Amino acid sequence: MKLFGHRKKSEPIVKFDPKTQEAVIHSSICTGEKVAGFKNKSDGHFTEVMLISSSEDEKSFKKMYGLDSVKVEY
């Protein structure tokens, strides 16, 4: 149930289509900031889903979308 615009944590925020997208974590070489999201396989467009500030955030991202592993790009 959605109250006041808030979603349950288990609900995916962004739709993921493994046929056209791949799960990626963008990691900054300079700052170390990490952002998880999906990269379009045909044009390379990256859609941000969430900031990764701990290993728990990465586990949560994987669990939310049913992923075993996520590719890291710098």
Side-chain angles (χ1 to χ4, degrees):
M1 184 172 164
K2 198 168 152 184
L3 294 174
F4 304 110
H6 297 283
R7 296 175 184 241
K8 293 180 182 178
K9 283 192 174 191
S10 61
E11 276 186 54
I13 299 166
V14 177
K15 299 294 181 197
F16 172 52
D17 181 8
K19 294 176 187 173
T20 61
Q21 299 171 311
E22 62 181 334
V24 174
I25 294 178
H26 277 185
S27 181
S28 170
I29 294 172
C30 298
T31 63
E33 180 180 82
K34 295 180 181 183
V35 178
F38 302 111
K39 184 176 176 180
N40 188 304
K41 291 179 181 179
S42 63
D43 65 7
H45 175 76
F46 182 73
T47 302
E48 293 182 3
V49 175
M50 65 184 286
L51 180 66
I52 303 294
S53 56
S54 68
S55 60
E56 290 301 315
D57 289 341
E58 186 174 341
K59 287 178 188 176
S60 173
F61 176 72
K62 289 177 183 177
K63 184 178 178 183
M64 188 184 313
Y65 289 98
L67 303 167
D68 294 325
S69 63
V70 180
K71 180 177 155 185
V72 177
E73 293 184 347
Y74 297 92

